Amino acid sequence: MNDHTNPPLLLRRNGRPQACDPCRKRKLACDHTRPVCSRCKKRKQDDECVYLLSGSRILTSKSPLPSSAPSTPLLSPRRGSLQHSQNSSTLTPDAQVSGLTRPGYLGPTSYCNIYEDTENSLSLLQGAHRVATQSESVARHTPIEGSQTNISARVRDMALSVLRNIPDPIQGGTLRFNPGSDGWIRSIAEPVVKSLYETFGDYFSTGNRPTAKLEELARIICANTLKPFSDDESDPDKWFGQFLGKNIRWELIGILSIFWEFVPGSDVDFWKGKRSAEFDRGFRIARENMHLSLDLCKELSAGNSMMLCLSQRCTIVDSMLVGDADLLVWRTHAETISLLTFLGFHAVEEKDRHQTSLSTEIKKRIFHNTFSIAMDVVSFTGRPPLISSRYSSTPLPLDISNEDLLSDHDTFMKAISRLDEEGWNTDGEIYPSTHIRARAIIALIREEIFEIALGHRQNTLRNPFSVETLLQLRSRELSAVAAFPSCLHFDPLEIDNLEVPINHLSVRLFIEQEHLQNMFFIERLLLRFGHQDKGDLLKVSYDLVTQTLPYYLHLDRLPSFRNGCEWLVMAYAVPAGGILCLELLKPTLHLRPHSDSRITRSNIIQKLSLLVAFLNWVSPSAPNGYLCNDAKSVIQRVLDQTLNTASSIYEPPAVFQWDSPTQLDFNFDLLDTFDWIRPDFPSSQQSNQ
């Protein structure tokens, strides 16, 4: 219920408090007090002190706040508020400030800012008989397909397909989680699945499920999904209430599909090295449910944070099906970025951490997780990024636990007060937010690396890049990682230490790989710019291969990454393995031993042999399988030639004369990585081939 004695502050579209009309017309400072501002009270103009609420609606000292008015301050467009465009009753508070309809986030250059003052003036002139704008008329009278009383045949068929796949309460009541990789969304899935089966469990009984009964449930969920979802709700109970129990939405059905075990025992044979038929069947059902749920959201919803989470996960499962370089993955990834910017999650503003809220922290987590994934996609494909930090203002999420994030206000604020100056937790724990923050910091530096690696300005007279630029990037990368909390620092000995929690080990190892990959790119670019290599590239490459092998050698310790092994080995180990191959082809260690005693010719051969075994473990039919097979063939040829041509243990190994006109080429075009590892043979040598 609204507190009429202390009405909420009204904000203009630019985020500034709205002045009363007498002060606005006289261009005088207004203190925005309601129902009567101090200036009007002093001038004894109580009846003239009015505030425009929504075009024709005017609040005076005698008119109480309407029951439909928001209980929180009206939000500015820069906070990414959203209007459901299909029904006038779903206008958000921000969209009610004027007659202009707001289709998602609109920035400072949009038409809304330009027309705001004009719209307000027209509203005053037209008074209570203001004519609705064209956009309002469309919003008010557009029929809603898929409403509770009528859903299209297409929506019906998609909905029934999803509902028929949902496990029964016994099987579906237990969700499958991967420690260290589920992030904060796990805390959402657990109460949702419980409330789903408590409310609608009889719809998912084992055996036959009558179509009429499923249609009834489909209409309920479609009607719920049509309702506007507030991403600005900061009360955890109210936020959860938007999709728990009888309010279940398709966004959450899709998210639950991430964690359901659709085929019992489908993971049993995975440890044999290949995906079983049961695993593939369960995986495809999960993927189908996720994509159908997302399609239903596209039909019925104007977009929200849960839909964005689902879209992000669809990108990941697509990559697990067809590989990371496929067009399908690129398209799904692009849709995720489009929805993110449409919702305005890239433009979350925060001046003081103590003013943050549940909704703000969720937006920050989603944005930076998506941004990090976007940079990983660029690393793998070498394609230009679809999002840039240059146009983003969302700060890093605060490092608080999921429990504190979803708790009451006092507990939430106490957790924030315990953070250090940089926003890290002081509990020594690794939370999902800890992981997101660390990856985001590395991703922001990687984006700058990409500007050099993928940009073409270095070929112009306006070249802003130089060796000094790269050296500064290297220094910043090292400083950033060194500044991470001690709980994130990786120790290789922990892999064999069973007392180290698996979720801690998983996060530390993955963050170490992300860091080493940045260093790998920087060292390669330094060579391109003519900087003298003192063995740094070989060391980084050796470490990168070494820290990727545990995903194969310790599958039992790192189960959260078992479904992404094909990506991990191709993204991290193979490019670095190419540098190790070059050391075997054009040896330098016999002339100058490396400063790192681990890096010897023998150890390099051993690491590459294990890498070949890892690549051979990947089935050719698996995602990225053909890429792994091609890389394996090249590394095997290098090892065979290196070992077979050694003439004497007392003589330094001869430089390998590559016998193929294609040179050392893994036949990929990934961030120019594989161009970088081609040896630069002298022209005389090539002419003798």
Side-chain angles (χ1 to χ4, degrees):
M1 181 175 295
N2 295 316
D3 184 0
H4 300 308
T5 63
N6 187 25
L9 180 68
L10 299 179
L11 300 182
R12 301 175 59 199
R13 286 190 177 278
N14 59 10
R16 298 175 181 174
Q18 186 169 329
C20 70
D21 283 344
C23 291
R24 185 184 64 82
K25 290 178 180 179
R26 296 185 176 90
K27 299 187 182 301
L28 299 174
C30 180
D31 64 4
H32 319 293
T33 303
R34 293 187 41 226
V36 181
C37 76
S38 300
R39 189 178 294 276
C40 289
K41 186 176 297 184
K42 184 177 180 180
R43 296 169 63 91
K44 298 181 180 180
Q45 296 178 332
D46 293 24
D47 292 339
E48 297 181 23
C49 187
V50 296
Y51 291 83
L52 182 67
L53 177 62
S54 59
S56 62
R57 188 74 177 172
I58 297 179
L59 296 184
T60 68
S61 59
K62 298 180 180 180
S63 60
L65 196 66
S67 59
S68 60
S71 59
T72 56
L74 300 186
L75 302 176
S76 71
R78 294 186 61 80
R79 300 196 182 275
S81 59
L82 178 68
Q83 171 211 320
H84 194 299
S85 61
Q86 295 170 312
N87 193 321
S88 62
S89 64
T90 63
L91 291 176
T92 63
D94 186 48
Q96 293 176 3
V97 174
S98 74
L100 293 175
T101 302
R102 182 172 301 283
Y105 168 84
L106 294 171
T109 62
S110 68
Y111 65 85
C112 276
N113 280 355
I114 298 174
Y115 284 97
E116 179 191 14
D117 289 338
T118 302
E119 177 69 11
N120 287 340
S121 298
L122 282 173
S123 298
L124 287 174
L125 290 173
Q126 294 172 342
H129 301 289
R130 182 180 65 88
V131 179
T133 63
Q134 181 179 2
S135 57
E136 281 184 291
S137 299
V138 172
R140 292 176 185 274
H141 301 294
T142 300
I144 303 175
E145 182 185 20
S147 67
Q148 189 171 358
T149 58
N150 181 31
I151 59 175
S152 68
R154 179 170 179 270
V155 168
R156 172 188 174 275
D157 291 343
M158 289 192 296
L160 290 179
S161 295
V162 173
L163 295 178
R164 288 179 180 130
N165 284 334
I166 292 180
D168 61 72
I170 296 178
Q171 180 185 341
T174 302
L175 300 179
R176 176 192 61 198
F177 294 115
N178 292 325
S181 65
D182 292 323
W184 65 278
I185 201 65
R186 172 176 180 170
S187 298
I188 307 299
E190 289 176 322
V192 171
V193 73
K194 180 180 178 181
S195 68
L196 173 67
Y197 286 122
E198 286 178 350
T199 309
F200 300 109
D202 57 322
Y203 288 84
F204 307 114
S205 59
T206 304
N208 184 38
R209 299 177 181 178
T211 299
K213 196 171 183 179
L214 292 182
E215 280 190 16
E216 176 187 356
L217 180 57
R219 294 176 188 277
I220 293 173
I221 302 177
C222 285
N224 290 339
T225 309
L226 274 166
K227 297 176 183 177
F229 184 99
S230 174
D231 281 319
D232 296 312
E233 178 57 65
S234 296
D235 182 276
D237 292 334
K238 293 180 180 178
W239 188 79
F240 269 111
Q242 297 179 104
F243 50 76
L244 286 182
K246 64 180 181 179
N247 294 321
I248 188 68
R249 303 168 64 101
W250 288 118
E251 297 96 327
L252 279 303
I253 295 294
I255 288 175
L256 288 179
S257 298
I258 301 169
F259 306 107
W260 269 321
E261 189 79 58
F262 287 96
V263 180
S266 61
D267 285 349
V268 173
D269 293 335
F270 184 83
W271 305 108
K272 297 178 181 179
K274 310 297 178 185
R275 287 175 171 168
S276 65
E278 290 78 11
F279 177 89
D280 281 339
R281 178 168 170 261
F283 174 79
R284 291 179 182 276
I285 293 175
R287 178 180 177 273
E288 178 186 14
N289 258 32
M290 292 170 64
H291 272 280
L292 286 176
S293 297
L294 182 59
D295 289 340
L296 286 165
C297 293
K298 293 176 184 177
E299 292 281 338
L300 305 169
S301 172
N304 54 65
S305 57
M306 295 296 97
M307 181 177 171
L308 182 55
C309 286
L310 177 57
S311 180
Q312 184 184 86
R313 289 302 181 106
C314 283
T315 303
I316 295 174
V317 298
D318 283 350
S319 71
M320 294 169 60
L321 178 70
V322 298
D324 299 81
D326 194 270
L327 175 60
L328 174 63
V329 177
W330 188 251
R331 183 183 294 118
T332 311
H333 172 59
E335 288 187 358
T336 301
I337 299 297
S338 297
L339 180 57
L340 181 141
T341 53
F342 176 84
L343 295 173
F345 285 14
H346 65 293
V348 175
E349 295 183 351
E350 180 184 76
K351 296 180 180 179
D352 185 347
R353 70 169 61 174
H354 296 286
Q355 295 178 353
T356 191
S357 63
L358 164 67
S359 57
T360 301
E361 290 303 309
I362 287 177
K363 293 175 184 179
K364 292 193 291 186
R365 290 187 181 197
I366 293 176
F367 169 76
H368 283 286
N369 192 37
T370 304
F371 183 85
S372 298
I373 292 175
M375 294 303 108
D376 284 337
V377 171
V378 178
S379 299
F380 196 93
T381 65
R383 299 167 189 153
L386 300 179
I387 190 171
S388 171
S389 64
R390 290 179 179 270
Y391 304 103
S392 305
S393 59
T394 302
L396 290 172
L398 297 177
D399 189 15
I400 58 177
S401 67
N402 291 348
E403 292 74 19
D404 289 334
L405 175 69
L406 301 171
S407 65
D408 60 87
H409 179 73
D410 290 341
T411 304
F412 178 76
M413 297 310 298
K414 287 180 181 178
I416 292 177
S417 67
R418 294 196 304 268
L419 302 177
D420 66 16
E421 294 182 357
E422 298 299 323
W424 297 102
N425 81 77
T426 56
D427 308 325
E429 295 292 333
I430 298 180
Y431 302 129
S433 55
T434 316
H435 189 189
I436 292 173
R437 283 174 61 91
R439 288 194 66 196
I441 291 171
I442 294 173
L444 288 168
I445 296 177
R446 185 173 300 178
E447 183 189 30
E448 296 185 50
I449 299 173
F450 291 156
E451 290 183 3
I452 302 174
L454 300 179
H456 297 285
R457 287 184 294 174
Q458 60 262 34
N459 298 322
T460 69
L461 295 177
R462 297 178 297 170
N463 174 23
F465 306 126
S466 62
V467 169
E468 288 71 24
T469 304
L470 290 167
L471 291 176
Q472 290 175 5
L473 273 176
R474 181 168 67 177
S475 177
R476 285 172 50 205
E477 171 70 21
L478 293 171
S479 298
V481 173
F484 285 169
S486 58
C487 63
L488 287 175
H489 294 171
F490 175 71
D491 182 355
L493 298 178
E494 291 181 339
I495 295 177
D496 296 315
N497 186 353
L498 299 181
E499 295 182 359
V500 177
I502 186 60
N503 60 318
H504 287 196
L505 175 62
S506 299
V507 172
R508 289 169 185 163
L509 179 58
F510 189 63
I511 293 299
E512 177 72 5
Q513 285 187 291
E514 291 277 86
H515 160 60
L516 289 173
Q517 190 174 55
N518 271 13
M519 296 299 295
F520 178 81
F521 290 148
I522 291 172
E523 296 299 338
R524 285 304 303 161
L525 286 170
L526 281 170
L527 286 181
R528 176 188 289 182
F529 277 68
H531 186 67
Q532 183 180 3
D533 181 21
K534 297 181 180 179
D536 294 327
L537 176 61
L538 187 59
K539 182 181 185 302
V540 169
S541 301
Y542 185 89
D543 288 340
L544 200 46
V545 172
T546 300
Q547 306 311 341
T548 306
L549 289 174
Y551 295 114
Y552 167 64
L553 300 175
H554 299 275
L555 274 174
D556 57 334
R557 285 279 284 151
L558 300 166
S560 60
F561 292 96
R562 61 191 179 188
N563 295 334
C565 285
E566 299 91 345
W567 169 71
L568 289 164
V569 68
M570 284 303 306
Y572 299 110
V574 167
I579 299 300
L580 300 187
C581 285
L582 276 181
E583 174 57 35
L584 298 181
L585 296 176
K586 303 174 67 175
T588 61
L589 294 177
H590 69 288
L591 300 175
R592 184 182 66 254
H594 201 280
S595 58
D596 189 330
S597 60
R598 300 173 304 151
I599 303 177
T600 63
R601 181 177 174 81
S602 173
N603 282 345
I604 288 175
I605 291 174
Q606 292 179 53
K607 296 298 182 185
L608 288 177
S609 298
L610 288 172
L611 180 55
V612 168
F614 193 169
L615 293 168
N616 188 62
W617 176 82
V618 177
S619 171
S621 61
N624 301 322
Y626 71 97
L627 298 177
C628 292
N629 187 64
D630 288 349
K632 178 190 69 175
S633 299
V634 173
I635 297 174
Q636 278 182 319
R637 291 170 63 192
V638 172
L639 287 173
D640 290 343
Q641 187 68 26
T642 300
L643 295 173
N644 291 335
T645 56
S647 59
S648 170
I649 60 173
Y650 300 106
E651 298 177 5
V655 175
F656 173 44
Q657 303 295 317
W658 191 250
D659 59 358
S660 170
T662 60
Q663 300 184 1
L664 178 61
D665 186 358
F666 290 158
N667 196 30
F668 315 130
D669 184 20
L670 312 179
L671 191 57
D672 201 27
T673 296
F674 300 95
D675 286 338
W676 293 348
I677 63 176
R678 297 173 186 169
D680 299 324
F681 292 104
S683 58
S684 59
Q685 177 182 328
Q686 293 184 12
S687 64
N688 293 329
Q689 293 179 350

